[in-house]
Amino acid sequence: MGAAVAQVMAVMPAVGEEEATAVLEAAVPMTIKGPDQFLEELAEHMAAQPDALTSGDSRCPPVLLRLAHVLHEAGHQVVRPGCAHCGTVRTDLRQLRAEGRICGTCDRRSRKNGTCGRCGATGVNIVAKRPEGGICNACYRVDPEVVEECAECGKLRCPAQRLPDGRALCRICWKRPMHSCVSCGKTAAAALIDEQGAYCHLCYSRRRRPRRPCGRCGRLGRIARNAHDGMPDLCDGCYRGPERTCSRCGCLRPCTRTSTDEPICHSCYARDERPLVPCARCQRDKPVMTHWPIGPVCQSCYTAIVRNPAECARCHDLHPLIAQGEDGLGLCGPCAGHDVDYTCRQCGRSGNPYGRGRCAHCVLADKVNNLLAGPDGAIPAQLQPLADGLTSTHTPFKTIQWVHEHPNAKLLAALVAGGREIDHAVLDELPPGAALQHLRQMMVQTGVLPERHEDLERVAAWLEHHLDDKPVEHATLVRPFLHWHLLRRARTRASKHTYPTVVGRDLRRRILVALDLLAWIDTQETTLAELRQGDLDRWLDGEKTQRRNRVRYFLGWTADRGLSRRLSVPSIPRQEPADLLDDDQRWQLLQRCLTDEALPIEARAAGALIILFALQAQRIRHLTADHLTENGDDAYLTAGRHPLLLPPRLGALLRELASRPPTPLMIPHGPKAPRWLFPGRVPGQPLDGHSLTNLLNRHGISTRPARNGALMALAADLPAAILADLLGLHVNTAVRWVTYARRDWADYLATRLTQDHEQSSDR
């Protein structure tokens, strides 16, 4: 015992002498030979292999397997050896091969090409040897040397268990002992019995199994397969069973029929092997998912029924209706005499079954806890609102898939594993992208992070990542140009706008042009302070487009601070719009938007608003139900300072958009979010401007020509001041469009004077 204790303490410094003695007493089996033989064998092996408890090598004595499991249950960082063939972690790896110990299943599989000496069967598993040769499992179970009279049924059968008096029980008569689970209270077979009591398999897997970072997804979770042979630890979500080469498609995948010489992956089996049977619900020939009282049901109908519980005609409770009464009304399983009612064992909710007797909501709660839990196994208080938002979703199956596969979930797991408090500054340190932006908005919508003007504030983070490979002197100039000049002015303008402005792209263009100029100056072996007008003109002429003219903002800023000479950069000239629809094309397109029901209602409404009122896509996407008002039978839309009278058909379209229920999202938009007429897929945000433009373009509505044509028509009929006030345009923009239209306003002024005179006469 002393030598074994010393070896355990040497390998595991955190284990004291008393604990080492206790784990050895728990690990060493008590047999008639006594524990000394096992302890000596263990001490010799650990002396020869100091990393025996951390290498995962199964070429070891059986007592080491038990010791690794005991230490693992106690929470120590050890690697439990698994089967050298399939990787299954077990304590009864009895068969020792050159590559290591293997489980009984792999051992039987490896010996399955034998010939039974008694029945003559070929390609069978040889389980015992007799004078006539090896015999198969079927012959072994009826072998006179093996069978005994069962103490309960009296038949001669192979013993499965012995009673205290030595009599045998067959496999049919023997019942596994049942225990009351100390966690859930359910009476079931015990997976673990300790000083606290018995745990059923479900509670043991959910609560007691130690957790480690998964070698594939990186999340802290319960390990289903230990690392071995260069393969990492795999959690329950990443482990899909032993992988073999599919005999049909040739891909290395988890396969069914792995005990045969022709393994088939799940995809090939579902495509080629499953028979086609008429579904009792949809009447189509499809593979059978399950058999219900109404008949065989395909996977699509099974999903539609179990995920949408309805009121049973007999018990009037909400259940999946898997049967029909004589009157044709739907019945639940218990009312139809079926033993499956799809009620969750954990929460008692009916419908949405996921697996092991639990619903998708309960499974989702566990997976969200695994995703957001810190090293102590508890969700930090800061992330609790996010956890509540994920678990309260109306789409638990999609959220479970998101937790498993989405890059945002992996990014969130990495942030949680870092142990830092998550704020906007921490997210800004990460490479910018759509995944990061969506994750940030999820946290803002659930209250984990405060709301900010994202289009502006993320420009600073973008710049820091963009400057990684730029010279230090360039970064020293560009950073204050962005923070002290561009962002300061943009924030001031944004605070005065009714609608959120989208200026981040323009700010990034100005920064990129400034960096291009600085890089060109370095190639000319000069400095910014020495840059002359001729040099600048030569750089501007080096590109045919007028993109480089935006450098005027940077050079104006540097000149004000004495960093460069006062240089002249021509502004980008404004040109008359050449791409616009004429009146006939506009009216035809408007007629299509108002009458063609084959178009999506979002495309019809947005297209009509552009064609009639020349509204920008960025303004349309921010319209809410509060912008719609009604006065009798008339509907009005407030896009600027004054409401616009809508045609009846367009008013009906916008009212339908305002009355539609919100689209189910993983994180709902929330009660404080505006009721968007064009809601997006990002929580709390409307439809993205590019997505709205692409939607219109896909259905033949080109936004720029349509808006140009509408503005030209409106500018021909209205003065600039009225046009700007009605549509919320800047007065300079309205003046330019009136100039393009080149219309004399004498008739308009005469009409207004006549109306004013008539109104004064009526008074």
Side-chain angles (χ1 to χ4, degrees):
M1 175 66 78
V5 169
Q7 290 295 336
V8 172
M9 294 174 60
V11 176
M12 310 289 296
V15 179
E17 182 176 356
E18 295 183 0
E19 186 178 2
T21 304
V23 297
L24 286 173
E25 291 177 352
V28 176
M30 300 301 296
T31 64
I32 57 175
K33 297 181 180 180
D36 294 340
Q37 177 182 352
F38 298 103
L39 291 172
E40 292 176 1
E41 187 179 14
L42 175 64
E44 292 177 359
H45 181 77
M46 293 184 66
Q49 304 290 338
D51 60 344
L53 291 175
T54 57
S55 64
D57 191 356
S58 61
R59 291 171 293 186
C60 61
V63 65
L64 184 65
L65 301 177
R66 297 172 58 88
L67 176 62
H69 277 265
V70 173
L71 290 171
H72 181 75
E73 293 292 341
H76 295 287
Q77 294 294 327
V78 298
V79 178
R80 296 173 295 171
C83 173
H85 285 181
C86 67
T88 304
V89 176
R90 301 174 60 174
T91 59
D92 55 346
L93 304 177
R94 297 187 179 91
Q95 301 297 327
L96 181 61
R97 302 291 176 85
E99 62 273 18
R101 293 189 175 273
I102 61 176
C103 62
T105 302
C106 293
D107 177 59
R108 290 190 297 270
R109 186 180 300 147
S110 64
R111 294 187 285 110
K112 201 164 186 176
N113 295 324
T115 301
C116 180
R118 185 168 295 175
C119 66
T122 59
V124 295
N125 189 11
I126 304 300
V127 298
K129 293 183 179 180
R130 294 294 182 265
E132 61 272 25
I135 61 175
C136 63
N137 185 64
C139 295
Y140 176 82
R141 291 189 175 279
V142 296
D143 186 26
E145 299 181 16
V146 177
V147 297
E148 297 182 26
E149 181 180 351
C150 177
E152 187 167 327
C153 65
K155 297 180 180 180
L156 290 176
R157 288 176 176 169
C158 183
Q161 183 72 12
R162 293 192 180 275
L163 298 174
D165 56 4
R167 294 183 299 167
L169 288 178
C170 65
R171 187 176 298 273
I172 297 176
C173 297
W174 176 68
K175 305 296 181 185
R176 294 188 65 184
M178 299 289 109
H179 301 269
S180 178
C181 179
V182 297
S183 179
C184 66
K186 180 179 65 176
T187 301
L192 173 67
I193 301 177
D194 58 11
E195 63 276 2
Q196 298 179 359
Y199 290 86
C200 66
H201 287 270
L202 187 62
C203 293
Y204 170 75
S205 177
R206 186 168 64 245
R207 303 180 185 279
R208 296 300 304 273
R209 283 171 55 195
R211 308 197 310 168
R212 297 199 306 273
C214 175
R216 177 173 295 176
C217 67
R219 288 176 289 193
L220 191 67
R222 294 181 287 267
I223 301 301
R225 192 197 69 179
N226 280 349
H228 71 285
D229 297 336
M231 301 294 292
D233 288 336
L234 293 181
C235 64
D236 289 333
C238 296
Y239 182 64
R240 294 291 185 268
E243 293 184 346
R244 298 188 65 186
T245 301
C246 176
S247 59
R248 301 289 176 85
C249 64
C251 298
L252 186 64
R253 295 175 175 173
C255 294
T256 58
R257 302 186 182 179
T258 55
S259 59
T260 67
D261 293 333
E262 296 184 356
I264 302 175
C265 68
H266 300 284
S267 300
C268 294
Y269 176 78
R271 184 184 66 246
D272 303 333
E273 297 292 322
R274 298 177 65 184
L276 301 180
V277 177
C279 174
R281 182 175 180 266
C282 65
Q283 306 303 322
R284 291 181 292 180
D285 292 338
K286 301 180 71 175
V288 177
M289 178 67 182
T290 188
H291 289 270
W292 278 340
I294 60 174
V297 179
C298 66
Q299 183 175 3
S300 300
C301 294
Y302 170 85
T303 302
I305 292 176
V306 299
R307 295 188 184 181
N308 297 279
E311 182 179 352
C312 175
R314 187 169 299 173
C315 66
H316 304 291
D317 292 332
L318 291 178
H319 290 287
L321 304 183
I322 64 175
Q324 286 185 349
E326 297 179 357
D327 53 1
L329 298 178
L331 299 177
C332 64
C335 292
H338 197 59
D339 57 349
V340 178
D341 60 355
Y342 298 103
T343 299
C344 178
R345 298 177 183 175
Q346 183 171 340
C347 67
R349 188 181 316 182
S350 184
N352 291 300
Y354 191 86
R356 297 184 180 180
R358 295 197 299 163
C359 67
H361 294 278
C362 294
V363 174
L364 175 61
D366 286 348
K367 293 187 179 298
V368 170
N369 183 78
N370 293 337
L371 176 68
L372 301 181
D376 58 350
I379 299 178
Q382 181 200 12
L383 298 179
Q384 190 60 49
L386 178 60
D388 296 339
L390 291 173
T391 54
S392 61
T393 180
H394 297 289
T395 57
F397 290 91
K398 291 184 178 180
T399 308
I400 291 174
Q401 184 180 8
W402 181 88
V403 172
H404 274 307
E405 303 174 359
H406 204 277
N408 286 358
K410 298 179 181 179
L411 177 59
L412 183 58
L415 291 172
V416 174
R420 299 172 58 186
E421 183 177 355
I422 302 176
D423 54 15
H424 284 296
V426 172
L427 297 182
D428 288 341
E429 296 174 0
L430 303 175
L436 177 63
Q437 176 61 17
H438 192 276
L439 178 61
R440 187 195 302 270
Q441 191 57 39
M442 287 173 56
M443 294 186 176
V444 170
Q445 186 63 24
T446 53
V448 176
L449 296 178
E451 191 170 359
R452 68 177 188 177
H453 195 306
E454 197 58 39
D455 181 62
L456 288 179
E457 301 305 328
R458 63 181 174 182
V459 175
W462 165 85
L463 177 62
E464 294 304 320
H465 290 280
H466 191 75
L467 292 177
D468 286 342
D469 57 346
K470 299 296 186 294
V472 177
E473 56 272 15
H474 295 183
T476 306
L477 272 175
V478 170
R479 281 197 186 99
F481 172 59
L482 173 66
H483 290 280
W484 299 349
H485 182 66
L486 295 180
L487 282 180
R488 183 176 60 83
R489 298 180 62 187
R491 292 187 183 109
T492 302
R493 290 194 300 267
S495 63
K496 300 177 181 179
H497 286 200
T498 304
Y499 292 90
T501 55
V502 182
V503 297
R505 179 181 298 181
D506 186 59
L507 298 184
R508 284 189 284 269
R509 287 173 177 172
R510 297 182 186 184
I511 292 294
L512 292 175
V513 170
L515 289 172
D516 287 346
L517 175 63
L518 294 175
W520 181 84
I521 290 174
D522 289 345
T523 62
Q524 303 302 309
E525 298 182 355
T526 184
T527 63
L528 180 63
E530 299 173 353
L531 185 67
R532 298 180 179 275
Q533 186 66 46
D535 299 330
L536 179 62
D537 293 340
R538 186 157 47 90
W539 177 75
L540 292 173
D541 295 338
E543 190 174 272
K544 295 182 180 180
T545 65
Q546 295 175 328
R547 180 185 67 91
R548 291 183 174 180
N549 290 32
R550 293 188 178 90
V551 80
R552 59 197 298 263
Y553 303 101
F554 176 68
L555 291 179
W557 178 79
T558 56
D560 291 341
R561 283 149 186 81
L563 302 175
S564 67
R565 293 184 174 92
R566 183 70 63 179
L567 302 174
S568 175
V569 180
S571 59
I572 299 177
R574 298 185 181 274
Q575 301 176 353
E576 291 192 13
D579 190 8
L580 54 84
L581 299 181
D582 58 30
D583 288 344
D584 292 338
Q585 293 173 324
R586 286 178 53 241
W587 296 130
Q588 291 176 3
L589 192 57
L590 177 62
Q591 182 72 14
R592 179 170 173 241
C593 290
L594 296 178
T595 60
D596 190 357
E597 297 184 355
L599 293 177
I601 186 174
E602 296 88 352
R604 296 173 61 191
L609 289 174
I610 293 175
I611 296 169
L612 275 177
F613 305 115
L615 296 182
Q616 294 177 331
Q618 287 293 341
R619 177 157 296 190
I620 292 175
R621 64 185 282 260
H622 283 101
L623 292 176
T624 67
D626 296 334
H627 291 105
L628 281 177
T629 56
E630 296 187 18
N631 185 6
D633 295 334
D634 296 331
Y636 295 86
L637 177 69
T638 305
R641 295 182 180 179
H642 302 287
L644 300 170
L645 177 62
L646 300 173
R649 289 186 178 179
L650 179 55
L653 289 177
L654 294 180
R655 279 194 294 265
E656 183 178 350
L657 285 176
S659 60
R660 288 194 310 175
T663 304
L665 298 179
M666 188 176 66
I667 297 289
H669 285 290
K672 297 182 179 180
R675 293 184 300 159
W676 305 111
L677 295 182
F678 301 90
R681 305 298 299 179
V682 179
Q685 294 294 309
L687 184 65
D688 181 70
H690 296 290
S691 300
L692 180 58
T693 303
N694 292 336
L695 173 66
L696 295 172
N697 291 336
R698 284 199 305 269
H699 294 89
I701 306 173
S702 300
T703 56
R704 184 180 292 276
R707 183 170 183 267
N708 288 346
L711 277 173
M712 187 67 73
L714 291 172
D717 296 334
L718 298 174
I722 303 299
L723 183 64
D725 193 46
L726 192 62
L727 300 184
L729 300 176
H730 194 280
V731 65
N732 293 340
T733 303
V735 168
R736 284 199 305 271
W737 279 100
V738 170
T739 304
Y740 297 152
R742 296 185 178 90
R743 182 66 59 90
D744 185 8
W745 301 108
D747 294 339
Y748 176 83
L749 295 176
T751 303
R752 287 298 303 267
L753 289 174
T754 303
Q755 292 178 352
D756 294 342
H757 179 71
E758 291 176 355
Q759 292 177 359
S760 61
S761 300
D762 294 340
R763 295 174 183 173

